[in-house]
Amino acid sequence: TMVTDGRPGALAGSYKVTIRAARLIKQYTVQEQMHLTPEQVEANTEHLTPTKYNNHLTSGLTATVSDDPSANEYGFKLEGQL
């Protein structure tokens, strides 16, 4: 979900794109999550997209947002190893 200045959506213009998808390997209670270190969180995360797409500098993906919402549909083909 895209948010700009606390509002849903993006202003019209061209953007570099980041795509991330991940799943937790083990589910923790909220109480347990509060005590996890960043390293423990990362070790418990299964990444579902290739790493290069996790950063707008390396993804190579761009999108142009239009003032016309019906024109703002994007499809990206992700390639590479996880």
Side-chain angles (χ1 to χ4, degrees):
T1 302
M2 177 68 175
V3 177
T4 305
D5 293 330
R7 295 177 23 201
L11 300 175
S14 294
Y15 295 89
K16 292 181 179 180
V17 176
T18 298
I19 298 177
R20 294 182 196 169
R23 168 177 44 226
L24 294 178
I25 296 167
K26 178 183 179 209
Q27 298 297 317
Y28 289 98
T29 66
V30 173
Q31 195 70 12
E32 291 171 321
Q33 290 177 30
M34 294 175 67
H35 299 290
L36 295 175
T37 66
E39 292 81 12
Q40 289 171 315
V41 171
E42 181 60 30
N44 187 49
T45 302
E46 177 187 7
H47 295 280
L48 305 174
T49 54
T51 305
K52 75 177 193 175
Y53 299 108
N54 292 342
N55 185 313
H56 69 278
L57 298 174
T58 60
S59 74
L61 303 174
T62 60
T64 301
V65 176
S66 170
D67 286 328
D68 175 8
S70 66
N72 295 325
E73 208 169 293
Y74 310 95
F76 297 102
K77 183 176 180 180
L78 306 185
E79 299 175 343
Q81 294 183 350
L82 297 179

